């Protein structure tokens, strides 16, 4: 984390140093591209004026700049919005109550345009306690129009607007003030072209009948990446080692405790206790606070704070002590299953290419392996085999019904 902060500080200094040839690139001249120079809104009067402007529009672009390595939830440092008439930057350190902008972002009666916006929507969810509606992600939409997924904003602007986009200073001290003119321009360009992109993409998607697919996939891709999921953290902390079911249960309980401590301390999980330390506790099952404190990578202040809780979790979750862990060998690693997944993936990608849809969005190896695990679990119970995708998934419509999908072998056991 310290290394990342030093990198940010260095980039921030560079952004404040003028160099020959650093003149701002003028925006593309187009009715849907705002031409104004970005300024930072730090007073309530201008903020209220902006909210009134956004409320008068059926759609607007939205983005945030945040720092994720110092607090439990990423620290929102800048909010960017744009309509076809103006681009604006809001300083959340000066405008403390952002509820009005969050309500507009989540409003189902207007379109909010984002690019790779899962993290940007996280503060909206936390503030409102509900899922934002009316969201369209141009990165997802472009994948239905022949673009690779995920595509950078620069590539989308070049493809759909014919304009080269200068990028830089994305990894900088966004919580520092003042921000340089360069930093403000780069932040503004993250939203400046989104209304035009969606104008172009929306027309093409509506023409080829894929507009509903883009909206459905946007919803699926915008799950909050900052919500705690104990099983996800357990799998990540296991580092691919072959843990028994009791060991996994113990590791999951340790991850849950770490999450509570991190929330109390307002710092990221990895800054509280490293994954390796939790895994070593599972392996060695220390029996005293002193033994826990001796675990490599275990911060002593944490042991002083919650050492007894560690011992309580160990007692409540009996498991095998082991000298080492072996690498997990999944059934998907077996040659026959791997070859079948390879065939299914190749056939699925061929169909996606035929449809002009990004293969990495349409179907991944992870999709097929998850389906294989789910299918194995239900068939072992004697239940009917599940489809690869849920009933409302656009892929069922794109690739045909269950019988017509025999070309990828999805109907076979």
């Amino acid at each position: 984390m310290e290394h990342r902060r030093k990198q940010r500080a260095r980039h921030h200094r560079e952004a404040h140093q003028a160099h020959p040839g650093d003149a701002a690139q003028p925006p593309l001249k187009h009715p849907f591209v705002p031409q104004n120079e970005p300024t930072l809104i730090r007073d309530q009067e201008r903020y209220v004026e902006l909210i009134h402007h956004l409320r008068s529009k059926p759609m607007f672009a939205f983005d945030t700049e945040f720092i994720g390595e110092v607090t439990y939830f990423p620290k929102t440092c800048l909010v960017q919005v744009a309509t076809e008439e103006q681009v604006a930057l809001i300083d959340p350190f000066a405008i403390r109550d952002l509820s009005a902008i969050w309500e507009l972002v989540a409003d189902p009666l207007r379109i909010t345009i984002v690019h790779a916006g899962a993290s940007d929507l996280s503060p909206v969810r936390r503030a409102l306690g509900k899922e934002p509606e009316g969201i369209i992600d141009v990165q997802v939409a472009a994948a239905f129009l022949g673009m690779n997924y995920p595509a950078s904003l620069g590539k989308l602007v070049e493809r759909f607007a014919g304009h080269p986009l200068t990028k830089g200073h994305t990894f900088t001290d966004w919580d520092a003030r003042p921000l340089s003119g360069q930093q403000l321009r780069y932040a503004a360009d993250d939203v400046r072209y989104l209304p035009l992109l969606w104008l172009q993409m929306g027309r093409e998607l509506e023409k080829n009948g894929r507009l509903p697919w883009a909206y459905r996939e946007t919803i699926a891709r915008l799950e909050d990446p900052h919500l705690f999921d104990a099983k996800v953290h357990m799998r990540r902390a296991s580092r691919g080692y072959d843990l028994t079911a009791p060991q996994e249960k113990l590791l999951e309980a340790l991850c849950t405790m770490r999450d509570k401590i991190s929330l109390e301390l307002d710092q990221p999980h990895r800054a509280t206790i490293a994954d390796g330390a939790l895994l070593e506790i599972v392996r060695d099952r220390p029996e005293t606070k002193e033994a826990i404190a001796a675990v490599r990578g275990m911060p002593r202040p944490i042991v002083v704070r919650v050492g007894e809780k560690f011992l309580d979790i160990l007692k409540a979750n009996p498991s095998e002590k082991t000298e080492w862990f072996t690498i997990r060998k999944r059934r998907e690693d077996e040659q026959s299953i791997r070859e079948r997944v390879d065939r299914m993936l190749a056939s699925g990608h061929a169909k996606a290419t035929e449809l002009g849809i990004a293969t990495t969005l349409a179907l991944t190896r992870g999709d097929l392996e998850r389906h294989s695990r789910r299918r194995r679990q239900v068939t072992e119970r004697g239940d009917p085999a599940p489809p690869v995708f849920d009933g409302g998934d656009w892929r069922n419509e794109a690739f045909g019904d269950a019988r017509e999908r025999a070309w990828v072998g999805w109907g076979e056991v």
Side-chain angles (χ1 to χ4, degrees):
M1 290 193 302
E2 184 179 351
H3 173 67
R4 291 174 67 86
R5 290 301 290 182
K6 287 181 179 179
Q7 277 189 308
R8 288 186 184 277
R10 176 170 58 82
H11 292 173
H12 182 77
R13 289 192 300 270
E14 291 173 354
H16 282 261
Q17 296 170 352
H19 297 283
D22 278 350
Q25 178 189 28
L28 172 69
K29 293 290 185 181
H30 191 282
F32 267 70
V33 177
Q35 301 296 308
N36 65 296
E37 279 291 313
T39 56
L40 201 54
I41 295 179
R42 308 190 79 251
D43 64 89
Q44 192 66 25
E45 183 178 354
R46 292 187 63 199
Y47 176 64
V48 170
E49 290 175 357
L50 173 63
I51 295 299
H52 285 317
H53 172 67
L54 295 176
R55 282 176 178 155
S56 70
K57 298 296 179 181
M59 69 177 187
F60 69 94
F62 168 73
D63 189 34
T64 66
E65 301 296 345
F66 58 87
I67 293 177
E69 64 264 22
V70 295
T71 53
Y72 181 85
F73 290 114
K75 182 181 181 182
T76 302
C77 303
L78 196 65
V79 178
Q80 305 107 283
V81 294
T83 66
E84 75 277 12
E85 296 176 10
Q86 68 169 286
V87 58
L89 311 178
I90 305 167
D91 187 350
F93 303 147
I95 308 297
R96 294 293 184 175
D97 184 2
L98 295 174
S99 56
I101 193 70
W102 299 152
E103 289 284 359
L104 285 171
V105 169
D107 188 351
L109 299 181
R110 58 177 41 82
I111 297 173
T112 301
I113 313 162
V114 300
H115 174 266
S119 289
D120 303 303
L121 294 171
S122 186
V124 181
R125 292 185 174 98
R126 293 198 303 274
L128 302 182
K130 64 181 182 181
E131 282 296 308
E133 299 183 64
I135 310 295
I136 187 66
D137 193 321
V138 293
Q139 189 178 67
V140 172
F144 290 98
L145 297 171
M147 293 287 290
N148 290 331
Y149 181 86
S152 68
L153 180 61
K155 290 187 180 299
L156 298 186
V157 172
E158 187 171 358
R159 159 68 170 80
F160 292 96
H163 181 72
L165 185 63
T166 302
K167 289 295 293 180
H169 303 302
T170 55
F171 189 76
T172 189
D173 266 339
W174 288 112
D175 56 347
R177 296 295 184 270
L179 295 172
S180 71
Q182 280 191 356
Q183 288 170 309
L184 295 177
R185 284 192 295 272
Y186 288 130
D189 281 350
D190 280 343
V191 292
R192 187 189 298 274
Y193 295 94
L194 295 187
L196 173 59
L197 292 185
W198 181 236
L199 174 70
Q200 306 281 29
M201 291 181 185
R203 286 175 177 172
E204 290 189 41
L205 289 168
E206 191 166 21
K207 185 178 179 180
N208 62 24
R210 295 177 183 175
L211 190 58
W213 297 356
Y215 274 111
R216 274 184 264 169
E217 187 65 16
T218 289
I219 293 172
R221 297 272 171 174
L222 291 183
E223 292 183 356
D224 194 338
H226 305 296
L227 290 179
F228 176 72
D229 185 321
K231 291 192 180 300
V232 170
H233 279 252
M234 180 274 292
R235 286 193 291 269
R236 186 182 303 135
S238 71
R239 297 182 172 182
Y241 288 115
D242 192 11
L243 276 61
T244 64
Q247 288 170 339
E248 287 187 347
K249 185 180 177 183
L250 172 59
L251 183 55
E252 185 176 331
L254 291 171
C255 287
T256 299
M257 187 185 76
R258 178 180 63 177
D259 176 69
K260 293 178 180 177
I261 301 169
S262 297
L263 183 58
E264 291 172 2
L265 297 176
D266 190 24
Q267 62 186 27
H269 295 100
R270 60 183 176 275
T272 304
I273 308 172
D275 287 345
L278 296 183
L279 193 58
E280 191 166 328
I281 290 175
V282 173
R283 185 190 67 189
D284 293 344
R285 292 194 60 86
E287 298 179 354
T288 65
K289 288 198 293 185
E290 292 72 19
I292 293 173
V295 169
R296 182 175 46 188
M298 175 61 67
R300 181 167 289 276
I302 296 294
V303 180
V304 172
R305 184 186 182 101
V306 294
E308 291 296 335
K309 291 184 179 179
F310 274 107
L311 296 176
D312 290 342
I313 289 175
L314 284 161
K315 290 176 183 176
N317 293 273
S319 65
E320 306 84 353
K321 183 176 181 179
T322 183
E323 293 296 325
W324 63 82
F325 292 122
T326 57
I327 296 295
R328 176 181 292 111
K329 182 176 176 59
R330 303 173 303 174
R331 279 199 56 187
E332 286 77 7
D333 292 329
E334 296 175 13
Q335 185 173 352
S336 61
I337 296 177
R338 188 171 64 249
E339 289 176 351
R340 178 170 174 263
V341 167
D342 287 343
R343 291 195 301 271
M344 294 159 67
L345 189 65
S347 185
H349 281 184
K351 183 63 176 179
T353 301
E354 178 186 329
L355 294 171
I357 299 173
T359 57
T360 50
L361 179 132
L363 186 66
T364 68
R365 179 174 295 278
D367 291 329
L368 297 175
E369 291 183 349
R370 281 190 295 273
H371 168 67
S372 175
R373 287 192 290 273
R374 191 168 69 247
R375 188 184 187 93
R376 186 167 63 247
Q377 291 167 357
V378 300
T379 52
E380 286 174 354
R381 296 196 304 263
D383 297 332
V388 178
F389 301 108
D390 295 333
D393 196 297
W394 62 268
R395 293 165 184 81
N396 293 326
E397 184 180 343
F399 295 155
D401 65 26
R403 286 168 298 180
E404 292 170 343
R405 280 192 269 118
W407 48 266
V408 290
W410 290 345
E412 300 172 7
V413 176

